[in-house]
Structure formats: structure tokens, C-alpha cells
Amino acid sequence: MKISAFDIRPGNILEHEKGLWRVLKTDFVKPGKGGAFVQIEMKNIETGTKSNTRFRSGESIEKAVVEPRTMQYLYADATGYVFMDNENFEQLILSADLLEGQTGYLLPNTEIQINLHNDRPIGVELPPVVVLEVSEADPAIKGQTATGSYKAARMETGITVMVPQFVNNGEKIRVNTVDGSYIDRA
């Protein structure tokens, strides 16, 4: 399926130069002289190399046909991260490389969307918000509640999130999976 260069968004999977590329950033540029173009930062799914590519405004690019499948995260072991297909109950093991930076938001029994291209996993889409329990946080400093200051807190999955002073150990909070920021108490 071909799409216009203007319709490319971060997260799209494109077929470009005989490979699959994940779009990381897009930037529309309209110079004072000449035609408009879209500057796209992409990462090759197979090799992991990054590329900055310009597409003219009239160009169209082949968007990869991706089959989204809902799976349930079960557990992690030495071989990788184990997911179960909700339809046929088959198990799928994904490497940490494929999950790149998303493992801190995975909790057992969480529903995750895994994108497949020709029955091969190429990416994972997390829910926009996850609920995590604070396992380690510094105690609140008395008198600093009015300034809106933040402190580092370690979650049950091992990631560190900046939280307000009033959040304590054992509390559950909602975390944005896009940028890893604190949203509110759960």
C-alpha cells in the first residue's frame, strides 16, 4: 500500500531500499526556495541501522503490510520474553533487542499488541498507560510539597520514574509508556 510522504507518522513501518524501516521522527520542511519535503529519521528493523531520508512532497512510499495481533505477556527467562497468542494459545518468544526500551513497562498478564510482517514479529505496541507499583522511593522532605519538585522512584519492573514528593513505597501509579513520565496515582 503506497502512502504520501506527508502521511508518514512516527511508528509507521515502511518498505524502503529492500528493507523494513520503522519511522522514528518526521519533520516537514518548506524552504523559501524550492519544493517542500519531508525529512524522516528511520531505523532498519533487521540491522538496527538508522537513516535520515528526504522525500519530496509528491513522492509516495510503500507502507509495509503489518498484521497486529493481541498477545498476553507471560514471563521473561534466559531465552527472552514469552508471549501467548490470545486466539490459538501458541507461545512466542521475543528477544530484548526487538523490545528495545519497552521491557520496563511489561507486567505479567498484560495485553500487548505485537506487529507481524509475513508471520515474523517486527515490533510491539504497548498500551499508552500502565499501572506500576513503586518499590523504592526516597521519603518526602517536609516543607518541599509546595514547590512541585520531583524525586526518582524505582518501579517493580526496575525502571526509574520521576514522581512528585507525596508518592511513597508500595503505591501504584499510572505511567505514560511513550515518555516514561508520571501521570497520577492509580
Side-chain angles (χ1 to χ4, degrees):
M1 173 173 108
K2 292 220 179 241
I3 60 171
S4 165
F6 291 117
D7 294 332
I8 297 173
R9 302 282 176 260
N12 286 155
I13 308 290
L14 305 176
E15 289 181 17
H16 180 65
E17 295 176 352
K18 299 178 184 166
L20 288 177
W21 297 79
R22 173 174 283 108
V23 177
L24 303 175
K25 279 197 251 176
T26 61
D27 190 24
F28 175 73
V29 180
K30 174 76 172 91
K33 199 173 193 181
F37 60 89
V38 179
Q39 179 85 24
I40 298 176
E41 184 179 324
M42 304 183 290
K43 182 176 182 181
N44 189 308
I45 292 173
E46 283 95 23
T47 63
T49 57
K50 287 188 178 179
S51 168
N52 278 319
T53 309
R54 287 183 178 182
F55 293 106
R56 290 187 305 279
S57 58
E59 270 185 272
S60 58
I61 298 93
E62 192 68 33
K63 185 175 180 185
V65 178
V66 176
E67 175 194 351
R69 195 174 293 169
T70 303
M71 296 193 180
Q72 185 179 28
Y73 171 64
L74 299 177
Y75 60 91
D77 61 12
T79 59
Y81 294 84
V82 181
F83 294 86
M84 179 184 67
D85 193 325
N86 288 350
E87 292 174 16
N88 57 16
F89 306 109
E90 288 181 8
Q91 290 189 356
L92 176 68
I93 299 173
L94 299 181
S95 69
D97 295 340
L98 187 64
L99 296 172
E100 60 178 298
Q102 297 176 320
T103 57
Y105 304 108
L106 290 177
L107 286 172
N109 303 321
T110 306
E111 299 274 316
I112 306 291
Q113 180 178 307
I114 296 181
N115 295 324
L116 302 168
H117 181 266
N118 296 336
D119 289 332
R120 190 177 55 125
I122 58 170
V124 173
E125 281 187 34
L126 295 171
V129 175
V130 293
V131 175
L132 298 175
E133 185 175 329
V134 177
S135 63
E136 185 181 322
D138 297 332
I141 300 169
K142 197 167 187 136
Q144 286 195 352
T145 55
T147 59
S149 58
Y150 284 81
K151 63 182 179 182
R154 182 170 294 284
M155 301 294 114
E156 60 189 306
T157 58
I159 62 169
T160 302
V161 176
M162 296 304 288
V163 298
Q165 293 289 335
F166 57 80
V167 175
N168 298 314
N169 290 352
E171 290 187 30
K172 291 191 179 281
I173 63 169
R174 293 174 3 117
V175 179
N176 183 341
T177 58
V178 175
D179 60 4
S181 64
Y182 167 86
I183 297 174
D184 60 5
R185 285 180 173 162

